[in-house]
Amino acid sequence: MSETPQITTVLLDLDGVIRHFETDHRAAVEAAAGLAPGTLWDAAFDEALIEQLITGRITRAAWTAAVGEAVGNPQAAAEWLAQKGTVDAGMIMMIDELRASGTTVAILTNGSDTIPAELEELGVTPHIDAVFNTAEIGYSKPDRRAFEHCCGALGVSPTEVFFTDDSERKLSGAIEIGMSSEHFVGVATLRDQLVALGLLP
């Protein structure tokens, strides 16, 4: 009977896990601009458009311009998409605990060209061992190649990695290559999962 591989690395999604955005902000921008609720969201996350952004084929500036054109209000799009979000202090504390105990902690985000600057501005960068941005990798979650890239860069086997994401759909590529994966539903649940893996006391 083979032993369960030891987890040495925790790979975290960024948005919805470490960083959060206020939905009320978008609603306020739409209301002020006379746009129907959800108009900005639907334009920004049009499948073809967002895939271009998160695989590095267009810049965040170009994405913002495209959203503004789609809704007929460039100012509203720029105002909404300028927000940087807020960092979950509880997550940062847990990340620090993990790293202090010898666990590598990295981020894998379906991001854009501005992610490095955003993480610096938010103060996240010093707390993380590595940041993997799909806009630089060229493949977005849940494509298994994004996860394989992370493993290769970190020099670890997929079986040594625990991955969590607030979108359950994005776990599939990680699971496919053998990563231990869980849907993120909150800091407390994640702590329980990490304790069960022996990564936290």
Side-chain angles (χ1 to χ4, degrees):
M1 186 175 183
S2 61
E3 293 184 7
T4 303
Q6 183 177 356
I7 302 296
T8 63
T9 304
V10 171
L11 187 62
L12 302 168
D13 177 33
L14 175 60
D15 296 332
V17 176
I18 298 173
R19 174 171 68 170
H20 303 280
F21 293 95
E22 292 292 336
T23 55
D24 289 350
H25 174 64
R26 173 172 52 82
V29 171
E30 288 171 335
L35 297 170
T39 299
L40 285 168
W41 180 272
D42 290 344
F45 291 93
D46 170 80
E47 189 173 339
L49 180 62
I50 196 67
E51 188 65 17
Q52 291 182 66
L53 176 72
I54 63 178
T55 55
R57 287 176 281 163
I58 61 172
T59 63
R60 186 178 179 89
W63 177 56
T64 301
V67 173
E69 183 177 353
V71 303
N73 193 322
Q75 184 177 346
E79 182 180 350
W80 173 47
L81 295 173
Q83 62 176 328
K84 299 294 190 298
T86 57
V87 174
D88 188 321
M91 278 297 301
I92 295 298
M93 287 178 62
M94 190 157 57
I95 288 167
D96 289 345
E97 283 183 63
L98 286 166
R99 295 180 72 212
S101 68
T103 301
T104 298
V105 181
I107 287 172
L108 172 59
T109 180
N110 279 2
S112 70
D113 57 306
T114 61
I115 285 293
E118 291 171 34
L119 293 180
E120 283 287 349
E121 184 177 337
L122 290 167
V124 173
T125 307
H127 298 275
I128 299 294
D129 292 299
V131 176
F132 298 104
N133 180 0
T134 62
E136 299 172 358
I137 297 170
Y139 304 111
S140 62
K141 296 177 292 183
D143 192 319
R144 63 178 288 163
R145 291 172 291 185
F147 298 99
E148 289 169 339
H149 174 90
C150 296
C151 290
L154 292 169
V156 296
S157 163
T159 57
E160 295 176 67
V161 181
F162 171 85
F163 172 66
T164 190
D165 197 299
D166 70 315
S167 171
E168 195 165 9
R169 180 184 67 84
K170 292 175 185 170
L171 301 178
S172 61
I175 293 169
E176 186 179 344
I177 67 168
M179 285 185 181
S180 174
S181 304
E182 294 285 354
H183 181 211
F184 180 84
V185 294
V187 177
T189 300
L190 176 58
R191 177 174 287 276
D192 289 343
Q193 292 163 348
L194 295 172
V195 168
L197 290 169
L199 298 178
L200 289 175

